[in-house]
Amino acid sequence: MFENLSLLQLQQYWWMIISLLGGLFVFMLFVQGGQTLLNALSANETEKTMMVNSLGRKWELGFTTLVLFGGALFAAFPLFYSTSFGGAYWVWMAILFCFIIQAVSYEYRIKPNNFFGQKTYEIFLYINGNIGVFLLGVAISTFFSGSEFFIDERNFSYWQNNLRGLEALLNPLNYLLGFALVFLSKILGALYFINNIDYQDIQHRAINSIKFNMIAFLMFFLGFLAWVLTKDGFAINETGSIYIQPFKYLFNFLNMPIVLAMFLAGVAMVITAVFMTIRFNKSSCIKTGGMGAILAVTALLLNVGLNNTAYYPSTFDLQSSLTIMNSSGSHYTLRVMGYVSLMVPFVLGYIVYAWHQMDKTKITKEEIEAPDAHNY
Amino acid sequence: MEETLVDWSRAQFALTAIYHFLFVPLTLGLGFIVAFMETIYVKTGDERWKQITKFWMTLFAINFAIGVATGIIMEFEFGTNWANYSWFVGDIFGAPLAIEGILAFFMESTFFAVMFFGWNKVSKGFHLLSTWLVAIGSNLSALWILVANGWMQYPVGMVFNPDTARNEMSNFWDVILSPVAVSKFLHTIGSGYVIASLFVVGISSWLILKNKDIWMAKKSMIIGATFGFITSLFLIFSGDESAHQVALTQPVKLAAMEGLYEGKNEAGIVAIGMLNPNKTLQNNENTYLFELEIPYILSFLGYHDINAYVPGLKDLVWGNSKQNIMSTEEKIQKGKLAVKAFKEYKNAKHADNREKANEAKMVLDENMAYFGYGYLKKPEDVVPPVALTFYSFHLMVILGIWFMILFALVLFIVKKREISDYKLILKSALWSIPLGYIAAEAGWIVAEVGRQPWAVQDLMPVGVAVTNISSTNVMITFWLFAVLFTALLIAEIKIMTKQIKLGFEGGH
């Protein structure tokens, strides 16, 4: 079936997969958001342990999605993989360090003789949830604001700023998406707790936390939208040259009504989920909110990659900017990977099945305090 | 490219890979051992087997967590530190990494949660299936990353496209079924099974020495020693196949592994020996200060023929017309032609001169197999550090044989005699745990140091593969990784030993 697709179609297909992975990853950031709420939503150790265990059964999926995101970019858009990871060295390294410390924290937190003490592992989780997510938002924001790099005729890349990616922090506009992502993940984390833990006090505090986080999220998110939709974008003309086009991202939405519809539906679902939770005490809104986040983020990434847009622009040398056309794998590799991608629904299927099996019964105080409990 | 940058980048990759591989082998093997144990529990319904399963599963989880932590960097480090490499071969190399993520990592992480928290939530059957799927998932992930590594050692199934300036995949099956990749996969998972068996046998020995939970420790020991004995035989056979593949595809590495400077027929293998530190390619000093050689074995190991000619480093560097071995100097000349033709092709394309571009393309195609040699300065550059490769290889082999003997002894005694009377065996088993890790890391040193200077064999030396970045940045991240990973390792060992001391009856 993939034989019949042209190179451009395969590139678009793969950009869609990457965008979907990005959406799924942001949904899974509910784990990170939840990690930042551990102290705020718990009144004692047992309550905190309930929350850690609730997240502890899910954190690896998000982690794995991040790893897959790296692998899929390497396979489908290797020039992005080499240019951005090698170029924006410090941003990616900082993000990776934030995730390395997450990976041990659940397992080691309350194990006896754990060397650093429980507090340290909780701080690790807190750093992962706040700084890790914030930096990811900043890194994604450079898809819109651009970076300084040059690519030579061998397609070797040369980063032009000695801060190696940290210069993105000098542009305050990049903070908008960074903070928006942090607060969105906190909202999703709270929605998840409400659904997954059968314990009134935690649910009650979680609902309260959403109120503040929603206001903060909307502020930064609307700020980000206002910036992106009014800013000049990086467009590609018929000959493959990159040029600056005013209101590019706004036009992308208007030219791709399905993407716009996805985006609006996604945002509406997040708002509805929050509203239903606060107003009607609904406990299962993580599904609506999560789907909303997936849709909105996927649409945003589709916007920046499709419709003749350079998704990773270079402000140093416009023509070095990366597009899905000039940065992709070969026709053959994209085709092979196309077949591999057919496994994704199967993988999602067993994840949902296992998830469902595990979450049929909610986490309770009794379970955590049971003598044979395997606790994080 | 500045030398210090290449050195720091290599040091960082070595550091992170060595740390990562401290945890991988145990995951590969212990996953199956735990699955065997749980299968016995489900079949017999004996609660003591559930306790055994849970004990080893707890240790599995402690190890797994730090394996994940040290693993994420490996997925990104090709990009962060080997950016030019990532472009040059990303079209082939990226695919197995992505497949690894889709097919293996999700299987591991999804069912890991069921395995640990599902005891009272899902049915016995679904739980057992989950345990097996974690084991299978982790071994699948090893498959894909080793396919990628095998490809770097022996690049196949691709063509160089001068328009995109990279190698492009032309045959997926050639890549994943490459004999180098297959033997590398089998040998590496074999090492994981042996290490996990050493771990189980060693810890069971300690428990028996301490007179703790004897029944369960003995049962664990039987499973560990049985699995270990079978897999150590498998490890030796797959090692033989690996050496054969090295002989066929990386003769310089084979010569370095044996410290073989002068090629010869009927070449023997040095069982134990010490290299003469003054020996160089240029002089005629003795290679060894002393050696104990087993005749014919190297010829047989390398080429499955006791009379076969095994080329030495001198043949491979200076050439040997009698044996039809091309000198490195000649390869460098061909490589330079290829690099030059590539530049001319690019210029001709730029100037829209088709005729000239076609000419350049022909020269390029003719010499492409030597492309990487075009970046070398002198012929001696193709020789990897001989001493490190030599000693690592011999240490690995000696330890591998010791493990097989140990498993056989333990298995015999635990079945036929009273094992608690054999204190020396029990202590040897305990102290063999670290030896397993040393052997595995030594194996990787042979594979990776032994193929220097190549990032991709014959096509790209490490000096070209590295990211264009100032070495200070890499130096800082090197130390950050060194400090963080060491701290995490200390935490892991402390937690692990505490859990072991708690024993089968302790909290999980």
Side-chain angles (χ1 to χ4, degrees):
Chain A
M1 59 186 284
F2 289 98
E3 269 75 13
N4 301 325
L5 296 183
S6 69
L7 179 59
L8 179 63
Q9 283 168 325
L10 281 168
Q11 287 160 338
Q12 290 168 338
Y13 174 77
W14 268 98
W15 187 257
M16 289 178 208
I17 300 262
I18 297 284
S19 303
L20 178 64
L21 275 178
L24 289 169
F25 178 63
V26 169
F27 164 55
M28 288 306 301
L29 288 181
F30 76 76
V31 172
Q32 272 67 24
Q35 286 166 191
T36 66
L37 299 173
L38 292 176
N39 282 327
L41 303 192
S42 64
N44 55 47
E45 279 302 312
T46 311
E47 290 178 13
K48 193 193 284 177
T49 300
M50 286 168 76
M51 291 197 288
V52 171
N53 277 275
S54 172
L55 295 173
R57 294 157 201 204
K58 300 290 185 289
W59 76 268
E60 278 194 65
L61 288 176
F63 198 91
T64 306
T65 313
L66 176 63
V67 172
L68 178 58
F69 200 63
L73 278 168
F74 197 178
F77 299 100
L79 195 55
F80 172 80
Y81 184 87
S82 64
T83 303
S84 181
F85 293 142
Y89 189 78
W90 278 110
V91 167
W92 293 113
M93 279 292 174
I95 290 171
L96 290 173
F97 277 110
C98 287
F99 278 84
I100 290 169
I101 55 176
Q102 181 203 25
V104 290
S105 294
Y106 284 99
E107 186 64 37
Y108 294 179
R109 188 181 75 105
I110 51 169
K111 282 272 185 322
N113 205 22
N114 67 6
F115 189 44
F116 296 118
Q118 180 180 340
K119 190 84 198 150
T120 308
Y121 293 103
E122 285 167 12
I123 292 171
F124 282 174
L125 292 178
Y126 192 76
I127 291 173
N128 171 252
N130 281 313
I131 301 177
V133 173
F134 173 73
L135 288 175
L136 275 166
V138 170
I140 302 294
S141 182
T142 63
F143 283 42
F144 297 92
S145 61
S147 310
E148 299 162 47
F149 60 87
F150 169 73
I151 291 178
D152 74 6
E153 82 285 351
R154 291 177 297 175
N155 277 328
F156 288 177
S157 44
Y158 303 84
W159 203 258
Q160 299 297 322
N161 193 308
N162 284 333
L163 292 172
R164 301 296 299 205
L166 292 180
E167 70 275 7
L169 293 172
L170 300 178
N171 179 356
L173 291 167
N174 287 332
Y175 286 60
L176 293 170
L177 188 60
F179 283 121
L181 212 53
V182 168
F183 288 109
L184 176 64
S185 69
K186 286 176 197 274
I187 294 167
L188 293 173
L191 290 176
Y192 170 75
F193 285 140
I194 293 168
N195 183 51
N196 195 243
I197 301 176
D198 189 12
Y199 189 79
Q200 268 209 333
D201 289 355
I202 292 178
Q203 290 175 341
H204 187 71
R205 288 182 214 117
I207 291 174
N208 276 333
S209 81
I210 292 178
K211 291 175 188 162
F212 169 79
N213 288 328
M214 186 65 183
I215 293 167
F217 165 68
L218 283 177
M219 255 169 53
F220 287 107
F221 182 64
L222 292 176
F224 169 75
L225 270 190
W227 168 56
V228 163
L229 296 181
T230 56
K231 86 184 284 296
D232 295 348
F234 302 82
I236 313 161
N237 68 16
E238 295 80 38
T239 60
S241 299
I242 319 290
Y243 67 100
I244 300 283
Q245 184 187 340
F247 297 106
K248 173 65 181 160
Y249 305 107
L250 177 63
F251 283 126
N252 278 357
F253 269 140
L254 299 176
N255 294 341
M256 299 186 286
I258 297 177
V259 175
L260 177 62
M262 275 172 71
F263 183 74
L264 293 176
V267 176
M269 283 164 81
V270 172
I271 294 173
T272 309
V274 168
F275 180 74
M276 298 297 276
T277 305
I278 295 174
R279 186 78 182 77
F280 299 110
N281 271 338
K282 287 263 181 209
S283 68
S284 61
C285 288
I286 179 66
K287 289 176 193 136
T288 319
M291 278 297 292
I294 295 172
L295 281 176
V297 173
T298 306
L300 200 62
L301 290 173
L302 290 175
N303 180 313
V304 77
L306 300 181
N307 199 33
N308 292 318
T309 315
Y311 69 88
Y312 200 63
S314 169
T315 51
F316 174 81
D317 170 40
L318 213 48
Q319 300 315 317
S320 288
S321 300
L322 304 188
T323 70
I324 61 170
M325 279 84 89
N326 69 14
S327 66
S328 85
S330 66
H331 194 259
Y332 183 88
T333 296
L334 292 183
R335 224 163 57 210
V336 169
M337 294 305 298
Y339 285 107
V340 174
S341 74
L342 296 179
M343 296 295 289
V344 172
F346 168 71
V347 173
L348 280 175
Y350 73 64
I351 291 175
V352 170
Y353 177 75
W355 194 324
H356 177 72
Q357 289 292 316
M358 293 290 291
D359 287 1
K360 270 189 300 195
T361 48
K362 297 191 177 200
I363 289 188
T364 58
K365 200 164 171 225
E366 291 69 40
E367 181 191 339
I368 296 297
E369 289 175 339
D372 68 337
H374 177 105
N375 280 346
Y376 277 146
Chain B
M1 229 28 89
E2 48 168 333
E3 295 259 323
T4 45
L5 169 65
V6 181
D7 290 345
W8 279 111
S9 305
R10 285 182 58 204
Q12 178 172 308
F13 202 91
L15 174 87
T16 49
I18 284 173
Y19 263 105
H20 186 50
F21 210 73
L22 284 177
F23 314 108
V24 172
L26 193 58
T27 302
L28 291 178
L30 198 54
F32 279 122
I33 292 177
V34 167
F36 298 146
M37 291 166 168
E38 190 179 339
T39 307
I40 297 174
Y41 161 62
V42 172
K43 288 220 153 182
T44 61
D46 186 338
E47 283 297 315
R48 288 179 300 181
W49 275 104
K50 185 176 181 183
Q51 238 176 326
I52 293 178
T53 308
K54 279 190 146 187
F55 172 75
W56 294 107
M57 215 177 250
T58 304
L59 303 185
F60 179 88
I62 295 164
N63 173 71
F64 190 80
I66 189 166
V68 173
T70 51
I72 188 170
I73 177 65
M74 307 307 299
E75 186 86 8
F76 291 86
E77 209 171 2
F78 299 104
T80 54
N81 292 81
W82 305 96
N84 295 347
Y85 165 88
S86 297
W87 173 252
F88 190 65
V89 299
D91 194 54
I92 306 111
F93 194 85
L97 259 71
I99 298 173
E100 182 184 33
I102 294 174
L103 294 188
F105 289 155
F106 277 109
M107 193 189 278
E108 275 181 282
S109 51
T110 303
F111 295 103
F112 183 89
V114 181
M115 171 164 132
F116 278 92
F117 302 104
W119 285 107
N120 303 321
K121 291 191 175 238
V122 299
S123 70
K124 262 189 184 179
F126 185 54
H127 191 277
L128 180 62
L129 177 70
S130 301
T131 307
W132 276 100
L133 287 175
V134 170
I136 293 167
S138 56
N139 280 267
L140 266 184
S141 67
L143 169 68
W144 293 104
I145 190 63
L146 292 167
V147 162
N149 180 274
W151 186 86
M152 297 162 84
Q153 314 267 355
Y154 178 54
V156 284
M158 83 297 180
V159 283
F160 183 71
N161 179 349
D163 291 315
T164 51
R166 67 171 170 195
N167 288 284
E168 297 184 349
M169 187 160 27
S170 60
N171 191 329
F172 178 68
W173 302 110
D174 281 357
V175 173
I176 64 164
L177 298 175
S178 143
V180 173
V182 171
S183 70
K184 184 161 277 296
F185 170 65
L186 295 177
H187 194 53
T188 309
I189 56 167
S191 76
Y193 302 157
V194 168
I195 285 179
S197 305
L198 287 169
F199 183 82
V200 171
V201 171
I203 288 168
S204 305
S205 297
W206 183 82
L207 290 167
I208 293 170
L209 280 169
K210 293 281 159 194
N211 211 4
K212 228 173 137 83
D213 309 329
I214 298 280
W215 188 87
M216 288 188 255
K218 274 189 191 167
K219 291 290 173 195
S220 302
M221 187 177 249
I222 291 171
I223 290 193
T226 309
F227 191 56
F229 182 65
I230 296 167
T231 54
S232 59
L233 287 176
F234 171 72
L235 189 62
I236 290 169
F237 282 113
S238 62
D240 169 67
E241 179 57 23
S242 285
H244 177 55
Q245 292 301 334
V246 169
L248 296 180
T249 59
Q250 297 173 307
V252 181
K253 185 195 279 182
L254 186 77
M257 280 155 65
E258 265 309 293
L260 190 70
Y261 282 82
E262 329 273 348
K264 52 185 167 187
N265 292 98
E266 300 173 0
I269 203 165
V270 174
I272 300 172
M274 195 169 196
L275 289 172
N276 176 359
N278 298 323
K279 175 73 184 173
T280 63
L281 272 177
Q282 282 79 11
N283 68 26
N284 279 326
E285 290 202 27
N286 278 338
T287 307
Y288 310 101
L289 295 178
F290 72 86
E291 88 268 32
L292 181 69
E293 196 184 282
I294 314 173
Y296 302 120
I297 295 293
L298 186 61
S299 287
F300 184 75
L301 209 70
Y303 301 94
H304 294 170
D305 167 10
I306 55 167
N307 299 313
Y309 184 84
V310 181
L313 292 170
K314 288 188 176 180
D315 301 311
L316 294 160
V317 173
W318 313 125
N320 180 337
S321 51
K322 221 160 51 190
Q323 295 294 337
N324 216 1
I325 297 168
M326 195 193 288
S327 73
T328 302
E329 185 56 48
E330 200 180 334
K331 290 182 183 175
I332 290 178
Q333 292 311 324
K334 285 173 182 281
K336 287 201 190 314
L337 278 178
V339 172
K340 191 164 150 245
F342 170 56
K343 277 190 189 135
E344 283 170 0
Y345 176 85
K346 280 294 200 193
N347 291 338
K349 271 272 174 171
H350 209 63
D352 219 10
N353 185 340
R354 252 190 223 167
E355 203 183 322
K356 229 176 157 191
N358 282 341
E359 265 173 44
K361 175 86 164 47
M362 268 172 58
V363 178
L364 178 62
D365 287 346
E366 220 169 276
N367 297 292
M368 189 58 212
Y370 307 98
F371 192 80
Y373 288 90
Y375 293 105
L376 298 183
K377 291 196 183 78
K378 50 185 197 302
E380 295 91 312
D381 288 351
V382 293
V383 179
V386 176
L388 187 55
T389 314
F390 173 87
Y391 289 118
S392 301
F393 174 63
H394 287 82
L395 186 63
M396 172 186 78
V397 173
I398 291 166
L399 289 174
I401 293 168
W402 158 243
F403 300 147
M404 188 192 64
I405 296 169
L406 176 73
F407 289 130
L409 276 175
V410 169
L411 198 56
F412 175 76
I413 295 169
V414 78
K415 283 273 193 192
K416 302 276 179 196
R417 306 277 156 83
E418 183 45 61
I419 186 95
S420 30
D421 297 340
Y422 293 80
K423 297 258 186 310
L424 185 66
I425 294 284
L426 293 172
K427 281 184 187 158
S428 310
L430 177 62
W431 288 106
S432 290
I433 297 176
L435 297 182
Y437 290 96
I438 290 170
E441 300 289 3
W444 275 112
I445 289 172
V446 174
E448 300 303 299
V449 174
R451 72 179 162 111
Q452 293 306 315
W454 301 113
V456 185
Q457 185 74 34
D458 294 349
L459 294 181
M460 189 180 231
V462 283
V464 181
V466 77
T467 299
N468 306 297
I469 189 169
S470 85
S471 56
T472 319
N473 293 301
V474 185
M475 191 179 77
I476 297 171
T477 47
F478 172 89
W479 287 113
L480 288 175
F481 280 118
V483 170
L484 180 64
F485 283 179
T486 306
L488 294 183
L489 176 67
I490 294 170
E492 194 248 4
I493 293 175
K494 286 180 83 101
I495 294 170
M496 189 81 100
T497 45
K498 179 74 189 174
Q499 288 295 319
I500 292 167
K501 282 181 189 160
L502 289 173
F504 291 91
E505 314 279 347
H508 305 309

